[in-house]
Amino acid sequence: AQTVTQSQPEMSVQEAETVTLSCTYDTSENNYYLFWYKQPPSRQMILVIRQEAYKQQNATENRFSVNFQKAAKSFSLKISDSQLGDTAMYFCAFMKQPSGGYQKVTFGTGTKLQVIP
Amino acid sequence: DVKVTQSSRYLVKRTGEKVFLECVQDMDHENMFWYRQDPGLGLRLIYFSYDVKMKEKGDIPEGYSVSREKKERFSLILESASTNQTSMYLCASSYSSYNEQFFGPGTRLTVL
């Protein structure tokens, strides 16, 4: 079974600064997908960024980028130029290569990020 | 944009009541999921469905059942609600098994 660990339950960052959220996972799979989801207070969870394990290049989406270290099974999220709207719970998620229509995503316990004005 | 809606944002029920949570997606997604979210535990999968009338147990199916009579609608049923089912319930859908999941706004259920 896969496990996803987010070791930082809460973090804070000053507006305009950079923050890195950590995530490690445990799997024996070689092909899989990793995600970061954002859940703002009282709002819907949305996908921030996605990484395919076979891709060596780290994914980026505007101010969000990841540091994917496959050998270390690490998948950290870096938020640059933090904005007040980045205040949210962030979940790291793992999905192994689907088979037979079966899509199983394992989520971490989340990191609550507070951006301070 | 994909829209996933849930029938209620907040729900209060009494122990022993039968509870229905409804989820509808408007983008013809194949897969639909029900999770519960609890502080410190993240999201845990209750049930999922990859086709109409098909369902599979997730990690914590005990005390729950589901129904998917139409592709766009996935219902979670608590046959006899108990206080330990007080939680946030999230519905999600995905176009295929290779695509990311889109989430609904959640239903915060309180069982008294």
Side-chain angles (χ1 to χ4, degrees):
Chain A
Q2 285 75 29
T3 59
V4 178
T5 301
Q6 294 181 248
S7 58
Q8 306 149 314
E10 294 188 24
M11 295 186 73
S12 61
V13 62
Q14 290 289 139
E15 197 174 5
E17 296 293 309
T18 295
V19 64
T20 298
L21 281 59
S22 65
C23 173
T24 58
Y25 56 94
D26 187 24
T27 185
S28 58
E29 304 286 331
N30 190 47
N31 296 318
Y32 50 87
Y33 302 80
L34 295 162
F35 308 89
W36 278 100
Y37 281 90
K38 169 186 177 181
Q39 187 181 39
S42 301
R43 293 180 61 187
Q44 249 153 298
M45 182 131 59
I46 57 172
L47 179 70
V48 175
I49 202 162
R50 163 191 170 124
Q51 174 84 42
E52 288 85 357
Y54 66 86
K55 290 185 178 179
Q56 293 188 342
Q57 188 172 7
N58 289 325
T60 63
E61 283 290 341
N62 301 313
R63 298 182 295 107
F64 297 87
S65 61
V66 298
N67 183 5
F68 173 48
Q69 302 287 331
K70 190 172 184 179
K73 297 180 183 175
S74 171
F75 183 61
S76 60
L77 175 70
K78 185 171 85 170
I79 306 173
S80 304
D81 185 27
S82 297
Q83 300 176 1
L84 297 179
D86 296 332
T87 291
M89 182 74 87
Y90 288 82
F91 291 96
C92 178
F94 170 98
M95 183 179 82
K96 69 177 185 178
Q97 183 81 2
S99 61
Y102 185 93
Q103 182 186 45
K104 175 72 162 64
V105 179
T106 301
F107 288 84
T109 53
T111 295
K112 188 175 183 180
L113 177 67
Q114 180 77 40
V115 180
I116 303 166
Chain B
D1 283 349
V2 175
K3 194 168 184 183
V4 181
T5 58
Q6 295 182 228
S7 50
S8 307
R9 289 301 302 270
Y10 300 94
L11 209 53
V12 179
K13 295 292 182 181
R14 297 222 172 261
T15 302
E17 279 192 83
K18 190 169 186 175
V19 181
F20 292 87
L21 303 182
E22 301 277 329
C23 175
V24 177
Q25 50 91 6
D26 66 356
M27 285 300 289
D28 201 36
H29 282 184
E30 296 290 331
N31 302 320
M32 296 188 75
F33 308 82
W34 275 106
Y35 295 91
R36 65 176 281 175
Q37 181 181 2
D38 299 288
L41 297 178
L43 277 71
R44 293 178 291 167
L45 181 66
I46 304 171
Y47 268 97
F48 70 98
S49 167
Y50 53 90
D51 201 352
V52 176
K53 297 191 186 295
M54 305 300 290
K55 61 185 180 183
E56 291 286 343
K57 293 180 179 179
D59 299 318
I60 52 165
E62 297 78 19
Y64 304 94
S65 63
V66 290
S67 171
R68 195 170 180 197
E69 295 296 319
K70 293 184 178 182
K71 192 174 186 179
E72 67 271 18
R73 189 180 297 270
F74 192 37
S75 302
L76 180 69
I77 303 153
L78 288 66
E79 293 289 341
S80 178
S82 63
T83 54
N84 62 12
Q85 292 178 309
T86 291
S87 186
M88 170 70 87
Y89 290 87
L90 297 178
C91 175
S93 70
S94 65
Y95 180 73
S96 77
S97 298
Y98 290 87
N99 296 97
E100 62 268 25
Q101 296 181 10
F102 292 84
F103 284 83
T107 295
R108 187 166 292 282
L109 173 67
T110 302
V111 182
L112 302 175

